[in-house]
Structure formats: C-alpha cells, structure tokens
Amino acid sequence: MHIDPLEKKWVLISLGMVSLFISIIMVDALLHGVNAPSNVETIDSRKIHLSEEFAEDNLGVHIEENGDITVRMVAGRYAFFPKQIVLPAETKVTFRWVSMDVLHGVHMPMTNMSTMIVPGYVAQVESSFPRPGEYPILCNEYCGLGHDHMWSKAFVIDKEEWDASIAEQNTTSDTTADEESNNE
Ligand code: CUA
C-alpha cells in the first residue's frame, strides 16, 4: 500500500498529539489526585431520609471513632444539605454524597472535590484542604431551572483551631454527663 510521505508525516503528528494529550491527562490526574467515579454502592433514592446513614440528623461532619472525618451530604433540587459545614485544614476528609432526586454534580473549586451524584448510588470521594478559607460547594450538572442557584458552603478552619474546638466540645459534654449522673 502506498502512503504519501506527507500523509505519513501528518498521521505521525496526529498520533503524537493524541499521546501527548493522554499523558497530560494521566499526569494531571495522578498529581492532583483526581477522583475516578466510585458509584459502586447503591441506595434507594426515594428512601434516603429513612436510611440510617443519610437520615437528617446524621448528615454533615462526623468524627469516626478512629479519628477519621466523614462528611455525609444529600443533594436535592436546589441545594446540598446541610447548607454549611466546617472542616479542618490539612486533614483527610471522606465525602459521601447521595441524590434525593435527579443527577447532580458537585464541585469545590481549587480542590479535587468533584464528582457526579447519580440517583441510586453513593458517590464517595476523598479530599483534603491545605488552606483554611471559605469554599463554595457548587452543582456542575444541569439539574433543572434552579441549577445555577444550587450551592452550599464549606468553612475550612486551622487545624489547631479545630482540635481546640473538639477538645472544648468533649469537656462540655463530659461536664454535662457528670451533671446528669450527679442529678441521679
Ligand atoms: Cu444540581 Cu445542577
């Protein structure tokens, strides 16, 4: 088969460009910890409020027994619930997202916190925030007329400030427990 040398050159150039783009994507994904979709866990979207994990009073930031931080949030037209969360900086945070209605996307600009929230599935993403500050939590999948108003906020505070507030909470709950036992 005869291929014109000029045509050959352009075939090689276009193959080179494709491999360049793929390597840029791969390097960027590895360096910035891009999260691949993790929709392996299923959940009944119509009964989220009845599930133990995503019941209203179990949403938000939780410190697990081993000290890990888990954030559980529900996406629904048109907000992420709870509307505000507070997190420590420089700490690994595991986010677990579910949708109560349609397909949403969640994105926190300047972080790797970005995933689709498909109804019927739990989307789990790990992230951490090097710098304290206010981070918007935005929806980035068109989900209806209120899509562009769909956002919540995360306040990332200094790790020391966080540790101090946790210690304070523990002492207050200890004293309340003591008072309760005294009253008995
Ligand atoms: Cu939710 Cu767009």
Side-chain angles (χ1 to χ4, degrees), residues 75-80 101-106 138-144 146-151:
R77 288 184 284 188
Y78 292 103
F80 298 98
D101 39 41
V102 297
L103 176 71
H104 298 279
V106 57
L138 308 168
C139 181
N140 65 359
E141 289 284 343
Y142 183 75
C143 52
H147 161 72
D148 48 339
H149 299 290
M150 179 160 173
W151 57 280

Side-chain angles (χ1 to χ4, degrees), residues 4 6-7 10 17 23-24 41 66 71 83 94 98 103 112 115 128 139 142 144 147-149 151 153-154 158 160 165:
D4 189 87
L6 191 64
E7 200 174 341
W10 279 106
M17 281 168 74
S23 21
I24 290 176
E41 232 184 294
N66 58 5
V71 178
K83 289 281 278 176
T94 305
V98 289
L103 176 71
N112 72 340
T115 186
S128 74
C139 181
Y142 183 75
H147 161 72
D148 48 339
H149 299 290
W151 57 280
K153 249 185 213 170
D158 237 37
E160 282 107 65
S165 72

Side-chain angles (χ1 to χ4, degrees), residues 40-177:
V40 284
E41 232 184 294
T42 55
I43 190 165
D44 188 341
S45 291
R46 292 160 307 170
K47 293 185 187 153
I48 280 170
H49 57 294
L50 301 175
S51 73
E52 228 166 85
E53 188 182 358
F54 292 96
E56 200 173 342
D57 46 7
N58 202 39
L59 296 181
V61 182
H62 274 257
I63 304 166
E64 308 294 342
E65 267 163 35
N66 58 5
D68 286 357
I69 297 179
T70 308
V71 178
R72 294 185 178 85
M73 299 206 40
V74 171
R77 288 184 284 188
Y78 292 103
F80 298 98
F81 304 99
K83 289 281 278 176
Q84 288 189 359
I85 52 170
V86 180
L87 292 168
E90 301 163 74
T91 310
K92 189 188 97 180
V93 179
T94 305
F95 287 90
R96 287 175 60 76
W97 304 89
V98 289
S99 164
M100 62 174 166
D101 39 41
V102 297
L103 176 71
H104 298 279
V106 57
H107 175 50
M108 294 171 71
M110 313 304 287
T111 74
N112 72 340
M113 182 43 258
S114 176
T115 186
M116 275 198 339
I117 311 173
V118 184
Y121 293 92
V122 179
Q124 183 168 317
V125 178
E126 276 174 13
S127 192
S128 74
F129 305 91
R131 274 178 300 277
E134 203 181 300
Y135 292 77
I137 303 174
L138 308 168
C139 181
N140 65 359
E141 289 284 343
Y142 183 75
C143 52
L145 286 178
H147 161 72
D148 48 339
H149 299 290
M150 179 160 173
W151 57 280
S152 297
K153 249 185 213 170
F155 296 94
V156 175
I157 60 172
D158 237 37
K159 198 162 166 18
E160 282 107 65
E161 203 183 320
W162 169 270
D163 290 339
S165 72
I166 297 298
E168 195 179 309
Q169 269 173 35
N170 287 342
T171 26
T172 1
S173 55
D174 284 352
T175 21
T176 347

Side-chain angles (χ1 to χ4, degrees), residues 4-17:
D4 189 87
L6 191 64
E7 200 174 341
K8 216 181 215 167
K9 192 174 105 189
W10 279 106
V11 167
L12 288 178
I13 289 177
S14 53
L15 284 180
M17 281 168 74

